[in-house]
């Protein structure tokens, strides 16, 4: 399938004075990534100005007097900059991009191109940046048969039919990812089964090596997910016990072979003892023992093990009110703090459940003090409308990053921890479960590309506001028409609040159709084994996670623990997550919980109507194909939002018997 260039289209732009005179791009030294950066710049200027500048070695540059006109761009690697950081400044007719490593040059070049695209003046230009998170990763849940677990934009462009795909899309993907500062990619699903187990055998090394080399040209480290039981499943050993010397030697030998074949491999991502995946528990060992065995095996090659904390009992009895899935990550990992090797990172989902539209921040952030940590978010919209609904998630991620952990002092946030500021860690950062597939526009919904773009930008610079990021993306993708910008901005910025309003209320989550996780089904997970309950009866709703209930609220540092524990003080958007409350409970707005449920559900669906109404006015201002794709999805979203509204409202009206004060139609 063909593909578009998303925000890197570089078409339809008028040339402007500042770039018209650029004739040369000088590089020093020559290098693969710098070469790619220079080619990117050359290509962009050729489109913007209609003239292709030449790429030359810096040595060829003749110093002339300071010029009024910008004549050249210099890409120079030199000491003195932060890792992957860069500076861009105009100096006597030349724009100079400097950095201490090639990634920095590449990021500086993209930043410069983005400014050119916005027709910013190059004269006197001066800015510098360095990424805040050391690791900025995308995790793909692609399977070797070409399907994507929780994929909503076509099939995989990494795999098909148990083969690895390396083609023009590989480079196009790397270019897109690098343009927003992504520096690590895991290409396969964390649920490693069947053929994917063989990715660490010579069956696939050739293609994997080629892919890793293409990624490297864009400064991206290549990672794979690993099957913990590989020694057994590949038929070579009887056990995968991490303390068994035979198993440890097996992994050492295996990693030697893997790294000889794929020297650019960054390491592995591992889901162990979770949702049926094998892990150290089978052998009575803990996660530190499991992770460290692998970490030691790849340590000689500079590799890292990213170990997920998404571990819980997925065979819970719904009658059991003591076991709490929300506690499990904390309970499993907190006691191991300080026991992991330096090249192990714990990857922690943003919340304790599973990427719901609203959850509290995971209590391991603020709990762990002596362990490398990564934040995992999901831009694949598994529970947030599956890229058929618009749901711009950057405002949500920003809130998570700004959450105060109180771990060292009152100012410490999640962003401080995962950027390495709090504990001086280097192996840390942020990962997103990717939302791409082989659809022409990469993300199914055209507007879902704002999440891909936004994730990279936010991980690079968490001080950016979600609105700034949205505006950047809109301008780069659709040009500078004010009506287009304001309309799409409205749609993006309203989308997450609207989605939250018309789906499950006040932080309780779920209420989706089991398995597919799409569409309303209030009791879908209520009598199931997944630990995901709302406990609604005729009097009230919510899970008691206070000290009288599961005690989850007390896993946080103060003052959070006391606030979450107290029904009067608990932030209302999380009220039902932490407490079982009567429908008649009065919120700060003066509304009862039941009235809040009715009102928000009507409001959320109305917002979608308004988005669709405003979007119609963009006909003729966006490419026809894009307009039609978005229009079709919006029409589905409108209907689906109403379905959500009506099912949720009907359910709670029937349970509680309390009518809507405003007398609207509830079925
Ligand atoms: C990759 C949720 C999803 C699963 C996913 C899992 C995980 O449970 O529904 O599809 O598996 O999270 O994050 O490992």
């Amino acid at each position: 399938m063909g593909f578009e260039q998303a925000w890197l289209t570089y078409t339809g732009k008028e040339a402007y004075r500042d770039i018209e005179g650029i004739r040369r791009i000088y590089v020093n030294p020559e290098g693969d990534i710098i070469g790619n950066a220079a080619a990117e710049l050359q290509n962009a200027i050729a489109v913007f100005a209609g003239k292709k500048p030449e790429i030359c070695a810096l040595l060829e540059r003749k110093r002339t007097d300071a010029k009024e006109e910008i004549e050249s761009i210099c890409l120079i690697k030199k000491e003195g900059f932060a890792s992957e950081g860069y500076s861009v400044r105009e100096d006597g007719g030349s724009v100079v991009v400097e950095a201490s490593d090639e990634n920095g040059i590449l990021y500086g070049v993209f930043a410069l191109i983005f400014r050119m695209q916005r027709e910013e003046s190059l004269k006197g230009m001066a800015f510098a940046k360095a990424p805040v998170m050391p690791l900025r990763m995308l995790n793909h849940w692609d399977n070797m048969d070409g399907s994507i677990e929780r994929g909503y934009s076509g099939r995989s462009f990494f795999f098909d039919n148990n083969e690895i795909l390396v083609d023009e899309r590989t480079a196009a993907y790397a270019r897109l990812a690098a343009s927003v500062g992504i520096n690590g990619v895991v290409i396969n699903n964390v649920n490693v089964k069947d053929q994917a187990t063989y990715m660490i055998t010579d069956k696939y090394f050739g293609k994997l090596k080629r892919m890793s080399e293409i990624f490297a040209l864009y400064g991206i480290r290549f990672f794979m997910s690993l099957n913990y039981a590989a020694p057994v499943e590949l038929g070579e050993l009887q056990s995968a016990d991490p303390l068994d010397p035979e198993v440890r030697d097996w992994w050492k030998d295996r990693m030697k072979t893997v790294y000889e074949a794929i020297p650019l491999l960054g390491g592995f991502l591992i889901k162990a003892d979770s949702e049926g995946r094998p892990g150290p528990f089978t052998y009575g060992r803990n996660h530190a023992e499991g992770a460290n065995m692998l970490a030691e095996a790849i340590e000689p090659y500079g590799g890292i093990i990213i170990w997920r904390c998404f571990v819980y009992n997925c065979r819970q009895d719904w009658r059991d009110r003591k076991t709490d899935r929300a506690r499990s990550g904390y309970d499993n990992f907190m006691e191991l703090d300080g026991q992991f090797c330096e090249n192990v990172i714990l990857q922690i989902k943003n919340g304790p459940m599973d990427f719901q539209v609203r959850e509290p921040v995971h209590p391991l952030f603020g709990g762990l003090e002596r362990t490398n940590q990564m934040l995992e978010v999901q831009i694949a919209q598994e529970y947030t409308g599956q890229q058929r609904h618009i749901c711009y998630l950057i405002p949500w991620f920003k809130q998570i990053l700004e959450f105060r952990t109180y771990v060292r002092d009152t100012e410490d946030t999640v962003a401080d921890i995962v950027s390495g500021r709090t504990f001086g860690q280097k192996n840390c950062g942020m990962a997103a479960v990717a939302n791409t597939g082989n659809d022409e526009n990469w993300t199914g919904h055209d507007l879902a590309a704002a999440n891909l773009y936004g994730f990279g930008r936010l991980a690079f610079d968490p001080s950016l506001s979600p609105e700034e990021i949205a505006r950047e993306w809109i301008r780069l993708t659709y040009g500078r028409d004010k009506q287009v910008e304001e309309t799409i901005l409205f749609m993006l910025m309203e989308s997450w609040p609207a989605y939250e309003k018309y789906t499950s209320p006040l932080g309780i989550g779920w209420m989706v159709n089991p398995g597919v996780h799409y569409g309303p089904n209030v009791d879908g997970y209520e009598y199931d084994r997944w630990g995901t309950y709302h406990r609604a009866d005729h009097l009230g709703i919510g899970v008691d996670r206070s000290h009288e209930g599961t005690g989850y609220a007390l896993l946080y540092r103060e003052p959070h623990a006391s606030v979450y524990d107290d029904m009067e003080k608990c932030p209302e958007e999380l009220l039902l997550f932490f407490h079982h409350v009567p429908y008649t409970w009065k919120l700060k707005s003066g509304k009862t919980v039941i009235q809040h449920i009715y009102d928000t559900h009507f409001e959320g669906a109305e917002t979608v109507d308004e988005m669709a109404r405003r979007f119609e006015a963009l006909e003729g201002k966006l490419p026809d194909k894009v307009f039609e794709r978005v229009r079709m999805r919006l029409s589905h979203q409108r209907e689906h939002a109403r379905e959500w509204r009506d099912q949720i409202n009907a359910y709670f009206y029937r349970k509680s018997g309390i009518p809507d004060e405003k007398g609207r139609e509830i079925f």
Side-chain angles (χ1 to χ4, degrees), residues 138-142 148-153 350 354-356 377-389 391 393 397 431-437 443 448 451-452 455:
L138 287 172
N139 292 179
H140 291 265
W141 287 356
D142 293 24
I148 303 180
E149 182 151 350
R150 313 304 175 187
Y152 311 107
S153 25
N350 62 265
D354 194 10
F355 303 134
Q356 300 304 294
V377 294
Q378 193 190 44
I379 50 176
Q381 295 168 233
E382 176 177 358
Y383 295 96
T384 49
Q386 304 200 348
Q387 288 151 243
R388 298 176 78 189
H389 292 232
C391 195
L393 293 161
F397 301 162
V433 178
N435 61 354
T436 52
T443 52
N451 284 327
L452 181 60
F455 165 72

Side-chain angles (χ1 to χ4, degrees), residues 277-296:
R277 293 291 75 221
F281 284 171
T282 314
Y283 308 96
R285 313 298 183 194
N286 66 35
H287 284 263
E289 290 164 330
N292 290 345
M293 171 196 60
L294 295 171
E296 282 164 26

Side-chain angles (χ1 to χ4, degrees), residues 141 149-150 189-191 271 275 308 310 312 325 349 354-355 376 382-383 517:
W141 287 356
E149 182 151 350
R150 313 304 175 187
N189 190 358
V190 286
N191 290 325
K271 171 173 178 179
E275 299 185 330
R308 296 175 84 227
F310 183 62
Y312 68 99
R325 169 169 169 175
K349 285 193 182 185
D354 194 10
F355 303 134
E376 178 179 319
E382 176 177 358
Y383 295 96
H517 298 168

